Amino acid sequence: MNVFLFSKSNWNIINFRYNLIKELKKNNFKVITVSQKDKYQNDLKKNVFKLININYKNRKIAFLSDFINLILIVCYVIKFKPSIFISFNIKPIILSGLASKLFNISNIITITGLGTVFEKKTSTLVKKIAIFLYYISIKKNDHIIFQNNYDLKFFLKNKIISKKNNFYVVGGSGVNINHFNFRKLNSNKKKLHFTFIGRLLKSKGIDSFLETIEKYFYNKELFEFSVIGDYENINDFNYKIFKLLKENHIINYYNHQNDIREFIYNSDCIVLPSYREGTSKVLLEAMSCGRPIITTNVPGCNYLTNNDKNGILCEKDNIVSLKNSLLKFKNLSNHERNELSINARNFIIKNFDEKFVIERYINLIKKLNESK
């Protein structure tokens, strides 16, 4: 039985859906991925029945390109005759939704976050177009999985879906708690080590992190700072401050890493001052490793701190608030930091074990497949 899995990039599938693919294969499904080509092409190709590359042009509206992509998807559907679609991210969701309507194929849609298209700076017209495209691409019998209640409320409020649709709230993609296993904090270090892990985008909070360091912690006497992540365009974030801090060794910079565990273990706290998430995978992985978090009071981040028992909240796009959160963490005793660390791990085990999330997908797919 063929399953089409749509996502915005090969990296996204390898990083977030690898274990889901493994379980699908164990259950005798042939997985065909439809995603954008990148350097993870060969890694993904080894793990799926068929890899289809499509340039989604994820960060812009491109009607001609999107129409051509839809035609390509239709051709592949005719060729491989999938029984089920699984789709993630806005462009893949819309295109897979339109194709699934044409062929009346069951579609399991996961809203991993609203994305940059719904940020304040985006024009009202573009937002309305995105809402309309979501609306026309979702069928009544589709199953929609949300990663937080805020996004569900947004879809209901904007009438993209109604209470008659099949929808669920699942806490993110989960995390492999055995791979990201617990390691105690090192209490003997002279400096506390704070690390940002993520794409270098303003919406991920990298500017807040860098500007806080530049204004309040430039001398590095109190803390050590690291930044891990790639950037596509220097205009996507405050490159000037980034370059200054890197060249003066105020921050340690590493580009994207396939395995971030040692970077997490070498940190005392993971900082993600994001503007909005579905449910942050990086924060889940950090907490699973036993690292407290500092993150923003926004959807997809705030409920992970569990009332400050495993981390600290700061305000979005507010360097004074972030500074105060860093100092608050510094002023904790070793015992208090260790309590945050243990609480973080326990919170993940109880609420975000990946095997339960994947099990839910598999059960839903089997149910849909049996009903055909």
Side-chain angles (χ1 to χ4, degrees):
M1 203 69 70
N2 291 341
V3 173
F4 269 33
L5 193 156
F6 295 81
S7 190
K8 65 182 180 180
S9 67
N10 295 339
W11 173 83
N12 195 274
I13 295 173
I14 285 288
N15 195 52
F16 297 122
R17 318 297 164 205
Y18 176 74
N19 287 328
L20 173 59
I21 289 171
K22 281 175 63 177
E23 286 301 313
L24 285 167
K25 288 162 68 177
K26 281 183 187 177
N27 284 274
N28 299 316
F29 289 100
K30 293 179 179 178
V31 181
I32 299 165
T33 58
V34 186
S35 55
Q36 189 158 307
K37 184 177 181 179
D38 55 32
K39 63 183 180 182
Y40 296 91
Q41 164 96 354
N42 291 332
D43 291 334
L44 182 56
K45 197 171 186 178
K46 294 172 189 173
N47 291 284
V48 296
F49 175 69
K50 175 71 177 176
L51 183 150
I52 297 168
N53 285 317
I54 282 183
N55 183 2
Y56 286 115
K57 296 189 177 179
N58 287 301
R59 298 177 67 185
K60 61 177 74 172
I61 291 176
F63 289 114
L64 179 59
S65 173
D66 292 338
F67 180 73
I68 292 170
N69 283 337
L70 179 59
I71 298 300
L72 286 172
I73 291 168
V74 166
C75 291
Y76 284 117
V77 170
I78 293 170
K79 181 177 179 180
F80 290 104
K81 298 178 176 56
S83 58
I84 292 171
F85 283 177
I86 309 172
S87 52
F88 305 84
N89 315 118
I90 182 168
K91 274 278 184 85
I93 286 171
I94 290 168
L95 290 174
S96 69
L98 295 173
S100 75
K101 274 192 169 183
L102 288 172
F103 294 93
N104 194 28
I105 295 172
S106 300
N107 196 0
I108 300 172
I109 295 165
T110 302
I111 306 300
T112 57
L114 295 182
T116 56
V117 72
F118 292 109
E119 289 179 1
K120 284 185 178 179
K121 66 181 181 180
T122 307
S123 72
T124 302
L125 176 61
V126 171
K127 289 176 184 176
K128 285 183 176 179
I129 291 171
I131 288 170
F132 174 73
L133 290 172
Y134 261 138
Y135 174 77
I136 64 170
S137 62
I138 295 176
K139 306 188 300 297
K140 290 290 184 187
N141 61 344
D142 285 341
H143 290 258
I144 308 111
I145 297 171
F146 294 89
Q147 294 193 342
N148 61 64
N149 281 305
Y150 298 95
D151 292 348
L152 168 58
K153 289 175 182 176
F154 179 89
F155 270 60
L156 289 169
K157 180 182 176 181
N158 288 280
K159 299 180 179 178
I160 298 170
I161 64 171
S162 73
K163 291 189 175 180
K164 293 180 180 179
N165 285 94
N166 306 302
F167 58 81
Y168 323 86
V169 178
V170 176
S173 304
V175 60
N176 185 335
I177 62 173
N178 296 318
H179 186 69
F180 291 92
N181 55 9
F182 179 81
R183 189 181 295 179
K184 285 183 65 175
L185 289 169
N186 182 352
S187 302
N188 298 318
K189 293 193 295 185
K190 293 180 180 179
K191 295 180 182 179
L192 290 175
H193 190 171
F194 292 88
T195 300
F196 172 97
I197 304 173
R199 289 174 295 155
L200 305 197
L201 295 171
K202 184 177 176 67
S203 62
K204 288 290 182 182
I206 184 60
D207 284 1
S208 297
F209 188 65
L210 296 173
E211 289 165 18
T212 301
I213 297 168
E214 192 265 344
K215 185 165 184 178
Y216 298 110
F217 304 108
Y218 195 84
N219 59 18
K220 282 197 76 174
E221 289 180 1
L222 298 175
F223 304 141
E224 182 177 358
F225 298 100
S226 293
V227 172
I228 303 166
D230 284 341
Y231 57 90
E232 296 176 12
N233 192 319
I234 62 173
N235 296 316
D236 287 339
F237 68 111
N238 195 330
Y239 181 77
K240 182 179 178 181
I241 290 181
F242 169 74
K243 186 179 179 184
L244 172 73
L245 296 176
K246 187 175 71 162
E247 289 179 349
N248 286 281
H249 307 290
I250 307 301
I251 61 170
N252 311 307
Y253 172 65
Y254 310 89
N255 57 14
H256 172 78
Q257 304 293 310
N258 290 334
D259 189 345
I260 61 171
R261 285 174 296 173
E262 287 304 317
F263 293 93
I264 293 173
Y265 293 136
N266 289 332
S267 306
D268 296 287
C269 181
I270 302 301
V271 183
L272 185 72
S274 177
Y275 287 15
R276 190 182 179 97
E277 299 284 327
T279 293
S280 169
K281 186 80 165 179
V282 163
L283 294 183
L284 297 183
E285 291 168 348
M287 293 165 70
S288 184
C289 292
R291 292 303 172 266
I293 59 174
I294 292 176
T295 191
T296 32
N297 188 16
V298 299
C301 297
N302 50 13
Y303 65 95
L304 296 179
T305 59
N306 195 22
N307 298 319
D308 283 356
K309 290 180 181 177
N310 45 39
I312 298 169
L313 283 177
C314 63
E315 295 306 311
K316 180 183 81 171
D317 197 21
N318 186 328
I319 65 172
V320 174
S321 179
L322 181 54
K323 174 203 72 171
N324 290 338
S325 294
L326 294 173
L327 292 175
K328 183 178 179 179
F329 188 85
K330 172 189 175 292
N331 291 329
L332 296 174
S333 66
N334 284 336
H335 173 74
E336 288 170 324
R337 289 191 206 116
N338 285 327
E339 282 292 305
L340 293 181
S341 170
I342 293 166
N343 288 342
R345 172 67 176 181
N346 290 338
F347 181 70
I348 294 300
I349 291 171
K350 182 178 178 181
N351 298 287
F352 294 97
D353 188 338
E354 180 187 59
K355 69 180 182 182
F356 298 120
V357 177
I358 291 175
E359 187 178 277
R360 190 160 188 174
Y361 276 98
I362 297 297
N363 289 339
L364 180 54
I365 291 163
K366 285 181 176 178
K367 182 180 175 181
L368 290 173
N369 195 47
E370 288 168 1
S371 66
K372 290 185 179 299

